[in-house]
Amino acid sequence: MNRNLYRSAGLAMLALSLTSTGLPLAQAAASTITLPSVTHVDNGHPSPDFPYNTGYVPAMPTAGEPGSQIPLSGRNDNTRDLAGYRTADGKWQIQPHRLIRSAHLGSLSPADVQTLSHDYDVRAVVDFRTLGQTKGKPDVAIPGTTMTQLSVLGPHAYVDAGGWGDGEFYKQRLAFGYAAVTGYRQFLNQLLTQPGATLYHCSSGKDRTGIATVLIMSALGMDEATIIKDYMLSQTYHHHVDYQWIKEYFKEVKQNYGSMTKYLDQLIGFDATKREQLRAQYLVSTDGHQTPYPGATTTKPQSTQHHKIKILTIKQLKQFLVRLKPHQVWFHELHQAQPSGRTKVSLTKWHAVREAQVDEDGQTVTYVQVQNRHGDHRWVRTTSIMHA
């Protein structure tokens, strides 16, 4: 494993894992500070001199402003659309109803489901919780969405309630590093081809979800001050985060990789081409014309074949190794009407993780979702795979 992965994951893991474990947290200081001016470096990413040991609580945005709540009932008070956040150069902003961060969806009411499905066009839900956490508080299903679980803490959220012991903390750093890097990589790649809105969440929507948002906004070109402000809004919405956590996270990344850009390149594996694709997917101009970002677009399908697809059932599989046959049509998401591409000749081994029964043009077809060790995933017909 990359040596830098061990060094960079530690402090970020400590901040991320607090939510999942229920470990008691000290209350953040209530004072509000004014964000200092920043000097823009590294292609628009700033290097602000934020003060340490100071509680920063942003003012609550008004409805429609970046970071404002999506009005839901129950305990879903940390659900927000990233719409309106601007890039460092001020020319581009995130489109509405595309990227939604949230706490878990276990308390959604029927009206909330309607709001997310109809008003916000949520078509994919990504859950960063562990399997145990999802079983304890399962999400309320949103009709017409794909559900993906990507635990960025690995199988379990270990913690030593009496303090982090050296051995246990060391194991946690290693487990977190691998699960987080591969999980976030898969998540970012999934965003490249996802239509409609993607809602992503953990337990409280603040730590694991917060770092996912840091990665998204960094890849889209927001400056560090904007990213930190959004991170700290969880505190505004009564979900405890600490200014020191995010400050230390950025500090650790820069000490080991030099910048968030290099971190995305070298550790997450989300390079400049993919970042341009992400911007083309989610950014529009701020000049009032809503002009799409003129970056690189995602790879066009190699097939023009169209399908009328209705998903009948989806179930988890006990993972087993498969090899993909060459030149077979595959989909990123089965809701797509057009294939995402064709498989290539490769020695890469894939794990089969889910199976779906699909009504395709009036015919029932079985698809299997496969995933490789890099976190790439796709749906292929069972006739397109072989046992490894």
Side-chain angles (χ1 to χ4, degrees), residues 317-335:
L317 295 173
K318 184 176 181 179
Q319 291 192 15
F320 58 94
L321 285 173
V322 298
R323 291 182 184 274
L324 301 185
K325 295 180 180 179
H327 311 302
Q328 305 299 312
V329 166
W330 58 266
F331 296 81
H332 267 297
E333 300 294 339
L334 289 182
H335 288 288

Side-chain angles (χ1 to χ4, degrees), residues 13-14 17-18 20-24 156-165 168-169 172:
M13 180 280 301
L14 178 58
S17 60
L18 291 174
S20 308
T21 63
L23 188 66
H156 305 285
Y158 295 110
V159 67
D160 176 2
W164 288 94
E168 191 66 23
F169 179 70
Q172 279 299 310

Side-chain angles (χ1 to χ4, degrees), residues 273-289:
T273 298
K274 290 183 176 180
R275 294 195 296 273
E276 283 294 294
Q277 291 176 359
L278 193 73
R279 294 171 189 182
Q281 273 274 63
Y282 296 98
L283 297 181
V284 293
S285 63
T286 58
D287 59 5
H289 297 293

Side-chain angles (χ1 to χ4, degrees), residues 289-302:
H289 297 293
Q290 300 286 300
T291 305
Y293 183 88
T297 57
T298 54
T299 303
K300 293 184 178 180
Q302 298 181 33

Side-chain angles (χ1 to χ4, degrees), residues 181-203:
V181 169
T182 56
Y184 285 139
R185 179 188 298 136
Q186 180 176 337
F187 171 60
L188 290 174
N189 278 290
Q190 181 174 330
L191 292 179
L192 293 177
T193 57
Q194 180 61 52
T198 296
L199 184 151
Y200 57 98
H201 73 87
C202 52
S203 293

